[in-house]
Amino acid sequence: LTAAKIPWTVLPGNHDIDVATGEGALFDKYFGPAKYTSWTEPGVEFGGYYGQNQFGPDVSNRQGKNSYVRVNKGSVRLLVVNLEFNAPDEVLAWADRVIDAHPDRKVLLVTHNMIHVNGDFSTSVNRPGGNDPRAMFNKLVAPNCRVFMVINGHNTVGTLGEANSTKKNSCGDDVALALSDFQGRPNGGQGWLRYYTFQPSQNRILARTYSPSLGTFETDADSQFELPFANTAPAEFVRVHQQQA
């Protein structure tokens, strides 16, 4: 991907870090920030990572485990925020600062663990000091009404590893949640991958699931679906009245 100058980023799951300590020496070695900042693509810009003190002091330097990218393609202006598995509070605070620093953008959140195959929040694998998916949603996603979508992997039951659902944010709007994880399929996943096509003129995102190994699409409801996409960024939730005690 890097040699072809194709933009890409990566984030660690529970197999890429020591869940007990959060350390990930091999991840840092092979997927440090320098690995995915050398590509160039008009309209796609790597923004930074947690540990640079860009928008205030960061508690620690997690190398490339948490990062963000700005996308400017046609009328689409996105902020893509990548967060490590069950991110701790310090990482959520950083993500909050990154979102605040980009008030004109809708936000796509990518993380390893969010919903399970039933479409509800996953409760699998505890990380000391980390936040489970429900807490991540309540602390970061719900209060930031420009987060319109969260995508994740991690969860499978046998060969099942897909789901999509919605949860309400603090503004009363739906946040789309989508799981795609094919590790339970034969041969490590048969090459299945999920991709999303943004069609702002039609106010929608098309989700498609394809295997280049098999040369075919999967078209069931969990694999091929549409999501609404209002291209203008909504205003943040603002308290307009507080009831007096």
Side-chain angles (χ1 to χ4, degrees), residues 80-93:
V80 182
V81 179
N82 307 299
L83 296 186
E84 63 185 276
F85 168 76
N86 287 18
D89 283 345
E90 65 188 66
V91 171
L92 299 187

Side-chain angles (χ1 to χ4, degrees), residues 3-240:
K5 302 297 184 182
I6 295 174
W8 65 279
T9 53
V10 65
L11 57 94
N14 56 298
H15 293 287
D16 308 305
I17 60 175
D18 184 328
V19 174
T21 65
E23 296 301 313
L26 289 176
F27 185 91
D28 295 341
K29 178 179 179 180
Y30 291 105
F31 294 104
K35 299 289 186 178
Y36 50 88
T37 58
S38 57
W39 45 255
T40 58
E41 167 70 18
V44 184
E45 177 188 15
F46 178 77
Y49 61 93
Y50 174 61
Q52 290 181 298
N53 302 308
Q54 283 182 311
F55 308 111
D58 295 333
V59 176
S60 62
N61 185 351
R62 297 288 289 155
Q63 300 296 317
K65 298 182 184 70
N66 306 275
S67 63
Y68 70 95
V69 172
R70 289 181 285 260
V71 178
N72 302 301
K73 290 288 188 178
S75 63
V76 176
R77 293 174 58 82
L78 292 182
L79 176 69
V80 182
V81 179
N82 307 299
L83 296 186
E84 63 185 276
F85 168 76
N86 287 18
D89 283 345
E90 65 188 66
V91 171
L92 299 187
W94 167 82
D96 203 43
R97 294 193 298 272
V98 171
I99 293 171
D100 286 347
H102 298 83
D104 60 333
R105 294 176 183 271
K106 294 182 68 89
V107 182
L108 170 62
L109 177 64
V110 188
T111 191
H112 186 65
N113 186 23
M114 185 58 67
I115 62 169
H116 212 292
V117 295
N118 62 359
D120 206 352
F121 293 120
S122 168
T123 57
S124 61
V125 187
N126 292 321
R127 175 182 175 186
N131 287 283
D132 66 16
R134 186 182 298 274
M136 287 181 66
F137 187 91
N138 290 337
K139 291 181 180 181
L140 178 66
V141 178
N144 287 290
C145 295
R146 286 183 287 114
V147 180
F148 69 98
M149 185 176 181
V150 184
I151 59 178
N152 70 281
H154 180 65
N155 294 299
T156 61
V157 177
T159 59
L160 302 178
E162 297 176 285
N164 60 87
S165 61
T166 61
K167 301 289 184 184
K168 294 292 185 182
N169 62 19
S170 298
C171 294
D173 298 325
D174 285 336
V175 180
L177 308 173
L179 159 70
S180 54
D181 187 319
F182 306 103
Q183 63 180 311
R185 306 255 182 123
N187 301 314
Q190 295 178 311
W192 288 108
L193 56 87
R194 169 71 51 75
Y195 68 92
Y196 299 91
T197 301
F198 287 73
Q199 296 183 334
S201 63
Q202 299 183 52
N203 296 314
R204 67 180 184 179
I205 302 169
L206 302 181
R208 296 293 183 263
T209 304
Y210 179 73
S211 170
S213 298
L214 302 177
T216 188
F217 287 89
E218 192 163 87
T219 58
D220 60 274
D222 284 333
S223 305
Q224 179 171 302
F225 52 93
E226 292 185 13
L227 299 169
F229 180 67
N231 198 32
T232 56
E236 291 296 328
F237 179 78
V238 177
R239 178 174 301 196
V240 295

